[in-house]
Amino acid sequence: MDTEAQPTERDRSSRPDGPEETSGTPGAEGRSRSALVPRVAGWLPGGWATLTLLLCLLFLLALNTFVARPFQIPSGSMEPGLRTGDRVLVNKMAYRFGAGPHRGDVVVFDGTGYFGEADYIKRVVGVGGDRVVCCDEEGRVRVNGRSVDESGFLFPGDSPSTVSFDVVVPDGRLFVLGDHRSGSRDSRDHLGSPGGGMIPVRDVIGRADWIVWPFDRATRLHRPDAYARVPAPGADAAHPVEGAHG
């Protein structure tokens, strides 16, 4: 009698009728999540078109709140680079990660309590610790003892300033001027006001990086090289500037 074990075929009749359970399978829960967006679209008048429009508006709102926002130039105080009616894109992330405004940056700031109840756009001439003086023997602004050649962006025919000043910018503040000096109300006009005409860095909304309108003037705004050789703050704060007036 042959007693060797014979292989037996698996009894297929014992296989369960239902699907096997698999660990980690999302099942009905996953399907309900994937059906949420079509369900919302079905609730809205206009369906998918309305939902797409709402998502685009939410994206633009988040972009305007946290990343960038358009700003319309309200006056000629920044001519010739920025004209009345130009629209610039303000980079709101430029100073969010520790880096503060640099000399030469064009910034938009909230002037409430300092300049007036509005947003303003000016060029940063002095940062915290800088000594800013006008003018040297050649009529130029000096920062920390070094004269700055502003001819590359100053309005043609304007002098750097007809107002004499000699100030040290407090930490956390900025001394700002318009490029069209004869048509700009800026830090020079508020020297006797609270804060001495210097705006708090915390009130800076962002840096103007692009002209986006009109299209024929669209361009990136670069920081000029005029301030590149200005020494560190404090280098000239304790000594009078030769040739300075007032």
Side-chain angles (χ1 to χ4, degrees):
M1 182 175 178
D2 187 3
T3 59
E4 185 178 354
Q6 299 294 323
T8 58
E9 185 177 351
R10 182 178 178 183
D11 185 2
R12 297 181 181 179
S13 64
S14 64
R15 179 176 297 176
D17 294 333
E20 294 183 8
E21 292 185 5
T22 304
S23 175
T25 302
E29 184 181 354
R31 287 194 295 272
S32 66
R33 282 198 296 263
S34 65
L36 180 61
V37 173
R39 192 176 302 168
V40 171
W43 291 338
L44 293 171
W48 283 101
T50 303
L51 180 60
T52 301
L53 179 61
L54 287 174
L55 291 175
C56 289
L57 290 174
L58 287 173
F59 173 76
L60 291 174
L61 178 62
L63 189 70
N64 184 72
T65 302
F66 300 108
V67 181
R69 60 167 273 195
F71 178 83
Q72 183 172 349
I73 305 302
S75 70
S77 70
M78 288 298 292
E79 291 178 338
L82 300 175
R83 303 173 185 171
T84 303
D86 282 356
R87 287 173 174 81
V88 296
L89 193 63
V90 179
N91 180 359
K92 300 180 74 172
M93 301 294 290
Y95 309 125
R96 288 285 178 89
F97 301 103
H102 294 269
R103 304 178 200 95
D105 285 354
V106 175
V107 297
V108 174
F109 59 93
D110 179 4
T112 302
Y114 296 91
F115 279 40
E117 307 252 341
D119 294 342
Y120 293 81
I121 184 166
K122 303 292 178 187
R123 190 178 299 278
V124 176
V125 174
V127 299
D130 283 347
R131 184 186 181 194
V132 187
V133 178
C134 188
C135 294
D136 68 6
E137 61 277 6
E138 296 180 26
R140 298 172 298 181
V141 169
R142 292 176 71 104
V143 182
N144 298 336
R146 182 174 290 275
S147 297
V148 179
D149 181 7
E150 300 178 290
S151 59
F153 52 85
L154 210 62
F155 188 81
D158 271 8
S159 63
S161 181
T162 57
V163 177
S164 298
F165 52 83
D166 185 343
V167 298
V168 175
V169 184
D171 288 339
R173 293 182 179 261
L174 304 171
F175 189 85
V176 296
L177 298 175
D179 290 351
H180 189 177
R181 300 287 159 82
S182 63
S184 173
R185 293 184 60 82
D186 43 45
S187 290
R188 299 169 300 167
D189 298 284
H190 301 275
L191 294 173
S193 304
M198 268 93 45
I199 64 164
V201 173
R202 66 175 180 271
D203 290 337
V204 172
I205 296 168
R207 183 182 66 210
D209 279 354
W210 289 86
I211 299 175
V212 294
W213 180 264
F215 290 137
D216 61 348
R217 286 178 29 78
T219 186
R220 183 172 178 81
L221 300 174
H222 296 280
R223 184 185 304 141
D225 295 331
Y227 301 92
R229 295 185 179 181
V230 171
D236 186 60
H239 304 287
V241 177
E242 182 180 354
H245 303 292

